[in-house]
Amino acid sequence: MKIGIISFHNAQIENAPLQLTLLDEYLKQQGHDVELINFRLKALETRKAKAVLDEIYSEKVVDYEFTFTEEFTDYSELYAAQLQYDAFIVYGNQLWNPVFTKAVRSAYFLDFGNRDALRIAYAVGTDRIPEYNKLQIQKYLREFDAISVCNETSYHELKALTTKDVELMDVELNDARTSLSLDAKEFLTHALNKAEKTYPKTYLETKDMFSCYGCGACKDVCLAKAITMEEDEEGFIYPVIDEARCQHCDKCKTVCVANHVESKKHENENYPVVYAAYNKAEAIQKASSCGGMFTPMYQSVLEKGGKVVGARYDENWNVIYDIAHTEAECECFRGAKYIFADSRDVKPRVKELLEQGTCVLFTGTACQIAALKTYLGKEYKQLYTVEIMCSGGGSPKVFRKYCEHLEQIYKSKLVDFQFRNKFKHTGTPFVFVEFETGVCDVEVAKRNNLSKAFTSGTAMRPSCYTCEYVGAKQGVADITIGNYMGIKDIYPEFAHPKGVSILKINTPKGLDLFETIREEVVLLESNCEDAYKNNQKKPKTLKANRARLMANIDKYPIDDLLLTFNPEKEGGIEELS
């Protein structure tokens, strides 16, 4: 087995170098190919006087030769290296203490390398975990296959954040200080002998919010109507089971997209086919978030007597999925909406249309398309799916509060809310809000408090930080569309002031749909590497400010709260800064 170990190998902490040496030596004695991942955060490397070092480093440590990887001094370098091992091991007391490490460090939670490797925490440690760091650590613990800690404080702190087994391990060396403890050897043997990597179970089994996309497939498949989707204190919906109605058929767990890894990708060597594209009609481009790809697609389907599914605002400024029958209804689906969209009853309605033989174009986020497929349970030749590239779903509650704030300021009801208005050009999008009085509120999107909270990932649904669809080469839908970010640097001759879209064809059916709109768009052949060069390739990082913001949405005026976490501006709530 090829094993990569990451630790404070350059931090001069008592017993740590010797423990690391013995760990490396023991694994090699067991026949494993072991490398020490040479990750060095200069800010965490300590310096001690020679007299102290003599006590820390035994002759064994000084003479031992590790096999090192190349040196990484930054997490982004480590992540980009795409290291490949059968197992990753993280070792070190205080390694998971965000106060000691000055932040929750993704590297020390093994958030890098191949995802199918075992992830093992060996004798890690922490002190009391600050409240605003707990959600971050809870997220990372989901990916571990075995966890052991070196003290009772660590055991109680981590056990409160996970349903996984946490082992309190005796890490004392033998009397001669030449071998790992029996506890350590038994733990390593068990951890490394797991038949395969374990994956998180469904939210219905664990109440792990990171495993629930809020797609509602479990609710839709329940014939007993025992499941409702209920909003939590952050504004996100989760399934709740009425045990009195539940028939324990387990269809809800079977249909959950968390159990359908295969639905997250297509396997076809001829795909994807990637283009940079924009609509030939300037009016359509102007009304669209990017290059105007969605409009000719829905027009094509409507012309065939089909129906179109997309996300729109309802009368209370919730974003919901709905079915459109006309072009006017489809226009409500256009435009970026950074808020989590509730699918409500759209999947059963789509199934009814498909069973009637009606052509349906379903546009939405990858998780909702995956949920539709697992709910339907079979292929329909008249169903076309288009995935909108997504950077995460923002809190509906935060959005509603912000809308209420604006209505109070302007003393008028909202009639339009655009996150990416392009009245100048696509390079400088504006948040554009219109009121019944005709008054408009306009601000550069990157400075707007609400937009910044959503695009920076400070107010997203928890599962968005662990999303398995981001950056997928082929995607889950027939076609993927989104903003071709950085087009002026990659293909400067093709850049357009009103925006250019990524158009990624993932399946033969997607190619058929594409052929119906080819003559209406301007195309340039591209590839996945260029298309994702400046686009999101992995989930946004969950940071402590997310907990600080979401814990206070009912305590402070929403705009003041959002301002506090907007790095583009000064001000906000002083005690939270």
Side-chain angles (χ1 to χ4, degrees):
M1 182 177 279
K2 187 176 181 181
I3 300 173
I5 302 175
I6 189 169
S7 183
F8 280 145
H9 68 276
N10 247 66
Q12 296 152 358
I13 302 172
E14 188 170 0
N15 283 331
L18 181 57
Q19 283 272 12
L20 182 59
T21 301
L22 296 176
L23 171 62
D24 188 275
E25 181 181 64
Y26 173 75
L27 293 173
K28 286 175 178 173
Q29 289 171 350
Q30 302 307 304
H32 300 299
D33 178 10
V34 185
E35 290 182 339
L36 195 60
I37 299 170
N38 196 8
F39 180 63
R40 299 179 59 176
L41 281 179
K42 303 296 184 183
L44 301 182
E45 293 185 3
T46 57
R47 296 290 177 266
K48 294 196 176 186
K50 185 178 184 303
V52 178
L53 295 183
D54 289 343
E55 294 179 8
I56 293 176
Y57 291 115
S58 66
E59 184 177 334
K60 183 177 184 67
V61 173
V62 174
D63 293 339
Y64 190 82
E65 291 187 7
F66 289 97
T67 301
F68 285 97
T69 65
E70 63 180 289
E71 183 176 302
F72 307 102
T73 59
D74 181 83
Y75 170 66
S76 60
E77 292 178 2
L78 179 62
Y79 188 90
Q82 299 183 344
L83 299 179
Q84 301 287 311
Y85 292 99
D86 299 307
F88 290 91
I89 296 178
V90 57
Y91 156 70
N93 187 17
Q94 299 304 309
L95 214 61
W96 285 3
N97 180 357
V99 177
F100 181 82
T101 57
K102 302 177 183 177
V104 173
R105 302 285 181 176
S106 300
Y108 296 134
F109 285 89
L110 304 181
D111 189 25
F112 61 90
N114 53 308
R115 308 316 300 180
D116 57 348
L118 293 172
R119 281 172 162 73
I120 299 166
Y122 169 77
V124 295
T126 183
D127 285 334
R128 296 291 180 186
I129 300 172
E131 196 66 34
Y132 50 80
N133 291 126
K134 289 183 177 179
L135 189 64
Q136 294 171 281
I137 293 175
Q138 182 180 345
K139 172 209 162 194
Y140 287 125
L141 293 178
R142 302 171 70 254
E143 302 300 323
F144 279 84
D145 301 284
I147 303 170
S148 66
V149 296
C150 58
N151 57 60
E152 287 196 10
T153 298
S154 302
Y155 174 82
H156 292 297
E157 288 292 296
L158 296 176
K159 192 60 185 170
L161 299 179
T162 182
T163 58
K164 294 177 181 283
D165 292 333
V166 177
E167 185 173 329
L168 179 56
M169 192 170 69
D170 177 11
V171 294
E172 290 298 319
L173 304 176
N174 64 353
D175 292 340
R177 294 168 63 80
T178 58
S179 176
L180 297 180
S181 69
L182 182 60
D183 261 10
K185 292 177 181 179
E186 288 179 350
F187 170 78
L188 290 167
T189 299
H190 174 73
L192 292 169
N193 285 340
K194 290 199 170 191
E196 59 182 17
K197 181 171 177 61
T198 58
Y199 291 93
K201 295 181 180 180
T202 69
Y203 173 84
L204 293 168
E205 297 165 280
T206 66
K207 296 299 182 285
D208 170 23
M209 64 185 69
F210 292 102
S211 66
C212 179
Y213 289 92
C215 66
C218 54
K219 167 187 69 72
D220 295 327
V221 80
C222 181
L223 298 178
K225 306 297 181 186
I227 299 177
T228 55
M229 301 297 290
E230 298 186 10
E231 191 172 280
D232 71 355
E233 65 277 4
E234 296 182 344
F236 298 109
I237 55 172
Y238 294 90
V240 176
I241 298 177
D242 181 348
E243 293 295 342
R245 289 189 172 190
C246 180
Q247 297 176 356
H248 304 286
C249 64
D250 280 347
K251 287 183 179 179
C252 54
K253 297 168 187 173
T254 303
V255 80
C256 178
V257 294
N259 279 337
H260 288 268
V261 178
E262 73 280 358
S263 73
K264 298 173 173 62
K265 59 184 180 180
H266 296 289
E267 295 292 346
N268 192 316
E269 62 183 14
N270 297 320
Y271 294 93
V273 177
V274 184
Y275 293 99
Y278 58 85
N279 202 294
K280 291 178 180 178
E282 187 172 338
I284 291 176
Q285 258 200 299
K286 186 177 179 181
S288 305
S289 293
C290 306
M293 294 300 102
F294 171 55
T295 299
M297 290 182 194
Y298 74 61
Q299 289 173 337
S300 173
V301 170
L302 290 175
E303 286 173 4
K304 299 174 184 176
K307 310 301 178 187
V308 180
V309 178
R312 67 170 178 84
Y313 295 118
D314 72 3
E315 63 278 4
N316 296 314
W317 297 100
N318 297 298
V319 180
I320 63 168
Y321 280 88
D322 202 359
I323 300 176
H325 303 76
T326 66
E327 283 203 40
E329 291 174 339
C330 286
E331 288 174 3
C332 296
F333 299 153
R334 291 197 301 205
K337 302 173 184 70
Y338 295 153
I339 310 103
F340 170 81
D342 186 351
S343 66
R344 298 196 176 177
D345 62 346
V346 81
K347 285 186 281 298
R349 293 165 61 197
V350 166
K351 184 176 183 179
E352 184 177 351
L353 289 170
L354 293 172
E355 290 292 328
Q356 294 169 359
T358 304
C359 179
V360 176
L361 172 64
F362 191 104
T363 62
T365 57
C367 56
Q368 286 288 358
I369 291 172
L372 175 68
K373 290 184 174 184
T374 60
Y375 168 75
L376 293 175
K378 68 177 184 178
E379 290 289 327
Y380 288 85
K381 65 179 182 180
Q382 69 273 33
L383 171 65
Y384 296 91
T385 55
V386 176
E387 170 193 340
I388 310 299
M389 292 172 66
C390 174
S391 59
S395 164
K397 185 174 181 178
V398 169
F399 181 61
R400 290 195 303 268
K401 282 180 169 288
Y402 188 78
C403 291
E404 291 167 3
H405 158 75
L406 290 178
E407 289 180 339
Q408 290 172 3
I409 294 293
Y410 287 94
K411 295 180 171 51
S412 179
K413 293 290 186 183
L414 273 70
V415 294
D416 192 18
F417 199 113
Q418 300 176 33
F419 279 97
R420 286 183 55 83
N421 184 287
K422 305 183 299 187
F423 72 86
K424 283 194 173 181
H425 53 77
T426 189
T428 308
F430 287 78
V431 172
F432 177 92
V433 186
E434 186 177 358
F435 299 86
E436 284 182 346
T437 56
V439 173
C440 297
D441 182 279
V442 182
E443 186 176 15
V444 175
K446 71 177 183 179
R447 287 184 52 80
N448 178 268
N449 293 335
L450 178 71
S451 178
K452 196 67 179 180
F454 287 163
T455 58
S456 66
T458 314
M460 293 197 315
R461 185 180 181 91
S463 59
C464 296
Y465 301 102
T466 58
C467 179
E468 297 176 85
Y469 303 97
V470 179
K473 183 179 179 182
Q474 285 187 239
V476 71
D478 298 313
I479 291 179
T480 301
I481 58 175
N483 185 16
Y484 205 125
M485 298 180 68
I487 187 74
K488 65 179 180 180
D489 298 319
I490 302 170
Y491 305 117
E493 74 284 357
F494 199 74
H496 193 287
K498 294 301 180 185
V500 177
S501 292
I502 291 172
L503 177 61
K504 185 156 64 78
I505 303 164
N506 301 315
T507 67
K509 189 187 286 188
L511 184 60
D512 291 341
L513 178 59
F514 165 71
E515 291 297 341
T516 68
I517 71 164
R518 180 190 281 271
E519 298 304 314
E520 299 180 54
V521 297
V522 181
L523 299 168
L524 177 69
E525 286 190 21
S526 184
N527 55 71
C528 279
E529 183 179 356
D530 286 343
Y532 283 90
K533 197 170 201 175
N534 297 290
N535 259 302
Q536 195 171 332
K537 294 181 278 292
K538 68 186 188 78
K540 282 188 169 70
T541 301
L542 175 57
K543 298 180 179 178
N545 276 350
R546 197 264 182 201
R548 289 188 176 103
L549 189 153
M550 298 305 288
N552 288 288
I553 56 178
D554 290 321
K555 297 178 183 178
Y556 298 99
I558 194 64
D559 198 45
D560 291 344
L561 181 62
L562 295 172
L563 174 61
T564 307
F565 302 103
N566 185 350
E568 299 291 331
K569 298 178 181 178
E570 295 182 355
I573 301 164
E574 188 173 344
E575 57 264 39
L576 298 179
S577 301

